Amino acid sequence: MKIYIDGTLHEEADAKISVFDHGLLYGDGVFEGIRFYNNRVFELEDHISRLFDSAKSILLNIPMSEAEVSQALIETIRENGLTKGYVRLIITRGKGTLGLNPFQCQKSSIIIIASSIALYPEEKYQTGLVMVTCSTRRPTPASLSPQVKSLNYLNNVMAKVEAINGGGEEGLMLNEQGFVAECTGDNIFIVRNGEIITPPVSAGSLDGITRQLVFRICQNLGIPIREANLTRHDIYIAHECFLTGTAAEVIAAIELDRRTIGNGKPGEITKKVISEFRELVSNTGTPISPDPS
Ligand code: PXG
């Protein structure tokens, strides 16, 4: 595997950064997870734009343009000879001193790993996920905006630990008021009486690119969809439930806190959304065209 660091491709064993990098010392940096299917990068522009927004929000300068980062990402995929997979794009604050001050860091670093990801066992895409409500709350936007995809995912990692220890595959995260925010790496949707409902991002979730895609899919299919604050009760009594994310894709959830959701199987509307999603990922995206040279 060849890994991109600051303009150079390295073999995995040689792909190294400083132990003084503030990305490691303080989780000071931002990232994106991006999928590519069928020789095309899915929703590349939206991911790159969100990366630059995250960086701007934490006063982190990316020493490349959006077009240059996109180009580096495509070249890294191409150099690895991949046509389908997952890219982790990371911007760290860079090498600094022991001490929080980010202004001691001379230059941010750009790392691109083109590989693959499997968030859940393959069979769960047929049968649906078991979820557990986590006591770990989503931090309030008053502390750090959930829109910043930062390198500090400890909150989500702790929630994931709770979910797995509680016998589930995914954890439901609530905000400080007890309303549903999202899951540990995915947005959540329910279906009730033929209508899809998802929490507003103001409830403390990332405005996922896959989440936005579901709104577009519903518009195309004529399925009513709206945002509303949800409680755990709303999910217990939902007819269907599904999760979305770049890594997760679209996947049904069939149980929360030992309550069966709907009939305990992926629902009809969920299956329609999944099939439209599959169609879009295989037919759209930025080509990873072969190098003409
Ligand atoms: N919420 C959170 C907290 C996320 O991290 C999503 C929602 C879905 O957003 P997108 O834009 O991807 O539809 C995410 C993104 C992982 C992993 O390793 C998770 C994500 C991204 C990359 C890796 O679990 N989730």
Side-chain angles (χ1 to χ4, degrees), residues 31-34 47 50 86 88 117 119 138 146 149 153 156 160 182-187 205-212 244-248:
F31 78 101
E32 276 298 318
I34 306 170
H47 281 286
R50 187 169 67 183
Y86 173 87
R88 181 62 57 92
I117 194 168
L119 227 51
R138 209 58 183 108
K149 243 177 116 57
Y153 257 54
N156 308 57
K160 189 85 181 179
E182 58 182 343
C183 291
T184 64
D186 4 54
N187 293 109
S205 58
L206 178 73
D207 190 2
I209 289 167
T210 324
R211 177 184 185 275
Q212 286 300 335
T244 68
T246 299

Side-chain angles (χ1 to χ4, degrees), residues 34-88:
I34 306 170
R35 274 196 190 263
F36 52 101
Y37 303 85
N38 210 5
N39 230 357
R40 289 176 185 168
V41 186
F42 192 59
E43 306 279 39
L44 179 61
E45 271 181 32
D46 285 1
H47 281 286
I48 298 293
S49 151
R50 187 169 67 183
L51 179 82
F52 276 75
D53 287 347
S54 289
K56 183 173 189 184
S57 184
I58 67 161
L59 208 69
L60 173 62
N61 177 50
I62 302 178
M64 282 165 90
S65 67
E66 294 195 19
E68 286 167 341
V69 174
S70 301
Q71 199 49 40
L73 184 135
I74 286 172
E75 271 163 27
T76 305
I77 298 173
R78 202 188 284 151
E79 286 293 325
N80 280 283
L82 301 169
T83 57
K84 182 177 192 288
Y86 173 87
V87 186
R88 181 62 57 92

Side-chain angles (χ1 to χ4, degrees), residues 185-205:
D186 4 54
N187 293 109
I188 186 163
F189 296 76
I190 60 165
V191 180
R192 182 138 173 117
N193 298 328
E195 181 189 42
I196 300 186
I197 311 172
T198 191
V201 290
S202 57
S205 58

Side-chain angles (χ1 to χ4, degrees), residues 107-119:
K107 190 174 168 291
S108 59
S109 270
I110 304 180
I111 301 166
I112 305 171
I113 307 167
S115 181
S116 60
I117 194 168
L119 227 51

